[in-house]
Amino acid sequence: MSSPARILFGFHAVGVRLKTAPQTVLEVFFEPTRRDARMRQFLERAREAGVRLIEADALRIAKLAGSHGHQGVAARVEPMPAAHSLDDLLDAIEGPPLLLVLDGVTDPHNLGACLRVADGAGAHAVIAPKDHAVGLNATVAKVASGAAETVPYFMVTNLARTLGELKDRNIWCIGTSDDAPRTLYQADLKAPVALVLGAEGPGMRQLTRKTCDELVSIPMRGAVESLNVSVASGICLYEALRQRS
């Protein structure tokens, strides 16, 4: 039995799917009253891909997308097949793995932003627990600006056990915590590493924290006590990228 179609919306999310897997795009809904250059270029790409185009007003597209931030574009697409299990992906990586692990991130906007920064920094995958995380939905795809299609996202049954399996592969698990004795900039991120971040506020769960090999902090010089998880992910991943460059 085939999986049900998904809805993507917004120029980035739909545009990346048209570019990377046009055969999975079943139909594209667009607002005909929008005639600016961006819409014209988008429609030209869709026509080149041979995709069925359907005119629809803003309200219909909003109902499809579940959001009014659709930019006049939505698409019904087939789910992308999972190319690899986490084990298969790790076996195929050349060079030291760079993974982002998110514990307790349930806001789709935060997950979308984390996927976007993971793509930008060249992370090999994002990992999250099934019972304390948001799945890949249309809002995540919109915020991710195409990264939901390019960054493998694995939801695992037992996060602590998965971290243990990463450690068995000699992947160093580094968690972030305000009370850590060392800062991010003192850690060696050139080796195989999984950066583990919790949701803003509660942070990582205790078992996740205990399973990490090392805890580091992000220096805070102002009045605020913590950063949004997507901002913290960006700082950590790009510090790893800087060290590896």
Side-chain angles (χ1 to χ4, degrees):
M1 190 176 186
S2 61
S3 301
R6 287 179 55 203
I7 299 295
L8 298 178
F9 64 90
F11 286 113
H12 278 298
V14 180
V16 168
R17 179 63 75 94
L18 284 170
K19 181 179 179 180
T20 58
Q23 72 281 3
T24 66
V25 181
L26 302 174
E27 51 197 11
V28 169
F29 299 84
F30 71 99
E31 194 175 347
T33 57
R34 179 166 177 172
R35 299 186 177 92
D36 56 276
R38 193 175 191 187
M39 179 64 84
R40 291 197 302 272
Q41 292 169 1
F42 173 82
L43 293 176
E44 182 179 348
R45 176 183 291 179
R47 291 188 182 101
E48 288 174 353
V51 173
R52 182 188 179 202
L53 292 169
I54 300 172
E55 294 186 0
D57 61 27
L59 182 58
R60 183 183 180 190
I61 296 176
K63 287 180 178 178
L64 278 169
S67 168
H68 288 283
H70 50 70
Q71 300 174 305
V73 169
R76 196 165 64 88
V77 302
E78 294 175 347
M80 291 284 282
H84 305 281
S85 67
L86 179 56
D87 281 334
D88 289 341
L89 181 138
L90 292 171
D91 288 340
I93 291 174
E94 296 182 4
L98 176 60
L99 307 172
L100 176 64
V101 180
L102 302 174
D103 187 23
V105 176
T106 57
D107 186 317
H109 294 87
N110 279 339
L111 175 58
C114 287
L115 288 169
R116 187 171 183 176
V117 77
D119 179 270
H124 294 102
V126 175
I127 302 169
K130 288 182 179 177
D131 57 346
H132 289 275
V134 61
L136 292 179
N137 58 33
T139 300
V140 172
K142 169 66 166 55
V143 176
S145 296
E149 307 294 320
T150 58
V151 179
Y153 181 57
F154 295 100
M155 300 187 77
V156 299
T157 303
N158 187 314
L159 185 60
R161 183 170 63 215
T162 298
L163 291 178
E165 292 168 354
L166 295 179
K167 291 160 72 172
D168 289 341
R169 287 177 171 267
N170 295 317
I171 297 174
W172 195 250
C173 296
I174 300 179
T176 57
S177 176
D178 295 341
D179 59 359
R182 299 205 306 159
T183 73
L184 169 71
Y185 305 109
Q186 295 171 300
D188 179 9
L189 305 181
K190 296 185 291 294
V193 68
L195 294 163
V196 188
L197 287 82
E200 185 178 359
M204 292 180 290
R205 289 172 293 170
Q206 277 298 114
L207 182 57
T208 305
R209 179 186 173 102
K210 290 178 181 177
T211 309
C212 290
D213 293 300
E214 179 183 0
L215 296 176
V216 299
S217 64
I218 296 174
M220 303 291 290
R221 295 291 182 261
V224 298
E225 296 180 356
S226 63
L227 298 171
N228 177 277
V229 65
S230 63
V231 174
S233 295
I235 291 170
C236 293
L237 288 170
Y238 275 89
E239 172 58 15
L241 182 60
R242 184 194 68 80
Q243 291 189 19
R244 294 172 181 216
S245 298

